[in-house]
Amino acid sequence: QKEVEQNSGPLSVPEGAIASLNCTYSDRGSQSFFWYRQYSGKSPELIMFIYSNGDKEDGRFTAQLNKASQYVSLLIRDSQPSDSATYLCAVNIYSGGGADGLTFGKGTHLIIQP
Amino acid sequence: NAGVTQTPKFQVLKTGQSMTLQCAQDMNHNSMYWYRQDPGMGLRLIYYSASEGTTDKGEVPNGYNVSRLNKREFSLRLESAAPSQTSVYFCASSDVGVYGYTFGSGTRLTVV
């Protein structure tokens, strides 16, 4: 049984600070890792993906992967109130898309306080 | 660019009624998925279709059937709806080499 664990929160962060979201996964064979953002009542939207150990930066977002520790994180710099949402970590055993789908964590509810 | 289109957006069913949720994608993806999302449970995979002509069970398939009508369309059928199937249903699509899965806007289903 593949499992993806996230702290449900809420995680409250002051505007302008760094928000740090964490995720652990159980399947050591996992190859691809995704972060989705979901606003209340909306569908998940992909914000970052990472396949290799280390850091990957995209604007204010940085994804970090440590396969040895089975740990993936998302950092949001200069947090804005519009970043307030639920962040879903998702894992797949394949390095690309397709095949048998993603396993999702339950999500972390992030609140950015103005 | 429509992406993934789901219909209907909202539906109320009585226990025992049947219905089909429709999903279509225009990105020429081979793989399509149905998820349900419940408070405190996250997104759980119901069924998926890795390619046209194939379907497989996911984590929570009981009470559902699917049909991959063609490459574009993947439908989810509830034969005899139960209150436990009250949920938000999302369809998604992807493909090998595609980074990430694209989700439809969801169907909010209530079974009374």
Side-chain angles (χ1 to χ4, degrees), chain A residues 1 34 36 38 40-46 49 51 86 88 92 95-107, chain B residues 31 33 35 37 40-45 48-50 59 90 94-106 108:
Chain A
Q1 181 80 11
F34 303 85
Y36 282 82
Q38 186 175 27
S40 180
K42 301 296 185 181
S43 59
E45 57 176 322
L46 180 68
F49 64 89
Y51 294 163
T86 296
L88 305 172
N92 193 283
S95 58
D100 66 349
L102 297 173
T103 300
F104 283 85
K106 295 178 181 179
Chain B
S31 302
Y33 309 86
Y35 286 88
Q37 188 173 37
M41 298 298 293
L43 280 157
R44 294 180 292 169
L45 184 64
Y48 65 97
S49 172
E59 180 184 354
F90 289 103
S94 186
D95 209 335
V96 174
V98 173
Y99 300 118
Y101 291 55
T102 301
F103 283 84
S105 59
R108 187 173 297 272

Side-chain angles (χ1 to χ4, degrees), chain A residues 13-58:
Chain A
V13 174
E15 183 176 357
I18 296 175
S20 177
L21 304 163
N22 304 314
C23 171
T24 59
Y25 58 95
S26 63
D27 189 338
R28 193 168 283 279
S30 299
Q31 295 290 330
S32 54
F33 307 86
F34 303 85
W35 283 100
Y36 282 82
R37 178 176 62 200
Q38 186 175 27
Y39 293 114
S40 180
K42 301 296 185 181
S43 59
E45 57 176 322
L46 180 68
I47 53 173
M48 289 287 290
F49 64 89
I50 186 167
Y51 294 163
S52 302
N53 275 329
D55 295 358
K56 179 181 179 182
E57 186 175 319
D58 184 0

Side-chain angles (χ1 to χ4, degrees), chain B residues 21-42:
Chain B
L21 281 63
Q22 306 287 353
C23 175
Q25 51 94 6
D26 62 2
M27 296 172 287
N28 202 36
H29 286 169
N30 279 302
S31 302
M32 298 185 73
Y33 309 86
W34 277 105
Y35 286 88
R36 61 177 288 174
Q37 188 173 37
D38 304 290
M41 298 298 293

Side-chain angles (χ1 to χ4, degrees), chain B:
Chain B
N1 284 343
V4 179
T5 302
Q6 289 184 237
T7 56
K9 294 190 183 303
F10 301 93
Q11 184 71 48
V12 178
L13 288 179
K14 293 182 178 179
T15 298
Q17 287 185 318
S18 62
M19 79 160 295
T20 300
L21 281 63
Q22 306 287 353
C23 175
Q25 51 94 6
D26 62 2
M27 296 172 287
N28 202 36
H29 286 169
N30 279 302
S31 302
M32 298 185 73
Y33 309 86
W34 277 105
Y35 286 88
R36 61 177 288 174
Q37 188 173 37
D38 304 290
M41 298 298 293
L43 280 157
R44 294 180 292 169
L45 184 64
I46 305 171
Y47 270 94
Y48 65 97
S49 172
S51 61
E52 186 179 357
T54 69
T55 60
D56 284 285
K57 296 178 180 179
E59 180 184 354
V60 288
N62 291 344
Y64 305 95
N65 285 300
V66 291
S67 295
R68 184 73 183 268
L69 304 171
N70 48 55
K71 191 172 185 179
R72 290 186 64 249
E73 298 173 287
F74 188 38
S75 63
L76 178 72
R77 183 162 179 83
L78 287 70
E79 292 290 353
S80 179
S84 61
Q85 295 178 304
T86 293
S87 187
V88 180
Y89 291 85
F90 289 103
C91 177
S93 73
S94 186
D95 209 335
V96 174
V98 173
Y99 300 118
Y101 291 55
T102 301
F103 283 84
S105 59
T107 296
R108 187 173 297 272
L109 175 67
T110 302
V111 183
V112 298

